[in-house]
Amino acid sequence: MEAVDMKFATVATGGIGGYLAVRLTQAGEDVATLARGAHLDAIKSRGLALASADGLTTSRPFIATDNPAEIGPVDAVIFAVKARDVERAAESCLPLIRPETVVIPFLNGVETVERLATVLPLENIANGTAKISVTIDEPGTIRQVGRFAIFTFAERDSSQSPRIRAVRSAFERAGLEAPVVEDIDVELWRKFCFFAPLSGVTAAARCTLGEIRRDPHLTRVFQDAIAETAVLGRALGVALPGDMEARIWHGVSELPDNMRASTAIDLEAGRALEVDWISGAVARLSDAAGLNAPTHRTLNAVLQPWKAPGAAGSP
């Protein structure tokens, strides 16, 4: 696979997929966007826009469609959907795949590869994680909060295959940060140990990260949630550093006060929640491993009545 001839597809073109579609398209890569409804209509009519601290940038994907068959096989699929939609969205990838195609997931949670493998050939699946705060601001417009944006990916065994190197080269040409890592599972769980507490606490308490830092009760809940997630990861064989919990909490002090997880934003907007694969996953996997995770069990329970679409309204 030649690095200069990359053809990408975004499945789907929400926050992360849309951000990458804009950045890669502007760098000259061929990017096909899979979207639907008003979002798709806006992309077709006026392009895909990215609003960030640097202003508003608009690009036009070479294909915008809700039918993956119109796209056909690509070199790389950027797979970034809500956790609840993994299997259904994976079926949309089938027309996009040939033997060499790599599917790189950028999702919340730690069970994506196993779930993708129930639909897609295992040899097509890589692993990845994204550290970025982005949402669909309005149909056709992606908004980035803050400037941090790091995309980490590798083959499932953490190797840097030719197809992974080709994708990384494309990302680097687009000015994207895509570091090489020794252990992709460590990176996946490092993010999960931060995101699972952020998701559960900012949603359940309807609060921001700044409020968590200032309130000793919320601080304790957040730190307990970090610890439960890290204990689980180590029990499952992930080589997490011994000081990771302290490092994560230290890193929290450097993040914007108004930061919330997408779970909290979805709750406020009345959208379906990913809780079953975030705090729910920590509780479920901990039970299976013979561990106790009371903080995540409680966060999961508190959010369960709100997880269906339309169950929540503005607080």
Side-chain angles (χ1 to χ4, degrees):
M1 183 188 302
E2 294 294 332
V4 295
D5 294 325
M6 292 296 292
K7 183 177 180 181
F8 290 88
T10 55
V11 178
T13 313
I16 291 175
Y19 174 88
L20 288 173
V22 172
R23 295 293 302 270
L24 290 167
T25 298
Q26 292 232 308
E29 307 295 338
D30 289 335
V31 183
T33 55
L34 197 66
R36 60 186 178 182
H39 192 47
L40 175 60
D41 293 340
I43 296 171
K44 284 183 172 181
S45 65
R46 59 178 186 269
L48 183 61
L50 171 63
S52 70
D54 297 320
L56 187 68
T57 303
T58 303
S59 67
R60 286 191 173 273
F62 83 96
I63 297 176
T65 181
D66 58 3
N67 181 4
E70 293 182 6
I71 299 172
V74 297
D75 297 308
V77 176
I78 303 299
F79 189 83
V81 302
K82 291 293 187 180
R84 66 181 181 274
D85 296 327
V86 167
E87 289 81 5
R88 179 184 59 79
E91 293 178 0
S92 300
C93 294
L94 291 171
L96 309 175
I97 290 176
R98 55 175 174 252
E100 314 84 45
T101 301
V102 60
V103 178
I104 304 178
F106 292 119
L107 275 74
N108 297 320
V110 290
E111 302 168 287
T112 304
V113 167
E114 293 80 4
R115 295 175 66 193
L116 282 174
T118 66
V119 179
L120 303 178
L122 190 59
E123 59 268 23
N124 290 111
I125 304 170
N127 207 351
T129 182
K131 297 178 182 177
I132 186 172
S133 180
V134 279
T135 60
I136 298 179
D137 196 35
E138 62 181 17
T141 300
I142 308 300
R143 180 169 297 278
Q144 180 185 10
V145 179
R147 290 184 176 274
F148 64 95
I150 304 174
F151 300 90
T152 306
F153 49 91
E155 297 290 355
R156 298 185 315 281
D157 63 359
S158 300
S159 63
Q160 300 295 311
S161 64
R163 65 185 186 180
I164 289 293
R165 291 198 299 270
V167 174
R168 176 169 291 104
S169 293
F171 274 43
E172 290 173 348
R173 290 194 295 273
L176 297 166
E177 187 173 352
V180 176
V181 293
E182 294 183 1
D183 190 329
I184 190 62
D185 289 325
V186 168
E187 296 305 314
L188 191 70
W189 276 84
R190 195 190 306 273
K191 177 189 173 181
F192 193 54
C193 286
F194 164 70
F195 182 78
L198 182 73
S199 171
V201 179
T202 60
R206 277 67 164 178
C207 67
T208 65
L209 195 55
E211 289 167 327
I212 291 170
R213 288 193 293 252
R214 291 188 294 270
D215 186 304
H217 304 289
L218 292 176
T219 294
R220 177 63 183 272
V221 171
F222 196 97
Q223 291 175 333
D224 286 349
I226 295 172
E228 290 176 5
T229 314
V231 167
L232 173 62
R234 294 187 185 105
L236 296 178
V238 182
L240 297 175
D243 64 347
M244 195 193 65
E245 294 92 324
R247 286 177 176 266
I248 289 175
W249 181 248
H250 176 74
V252 164
S253 66
E254 300 175 352
L255 295 171
D257 268 1
N258 64 346
M259 187 173 182
R260 296 184 293 164
S262 55
T263 314
I265 297 169
D266 289 340
L267 173 64
E268 186 176 88
R271 295 189 289 261
L273 305 185
E274 297 180 297
V275 61
D276 287 349
W277 296 275
I278 312 298
S279 284
V282 178
R284 169 168 41 81
L285 295 174
S286 294
D287 284 344
L291 301 171
N292 192 22
T295 305
H296 279 292
R297 188 182 302 116
T298 301
L299 292 170
N300 179 50
V302 168
L303 292 172
Q304 282 296 310
W306 307 91
K307 72 177 183 179
S314 298

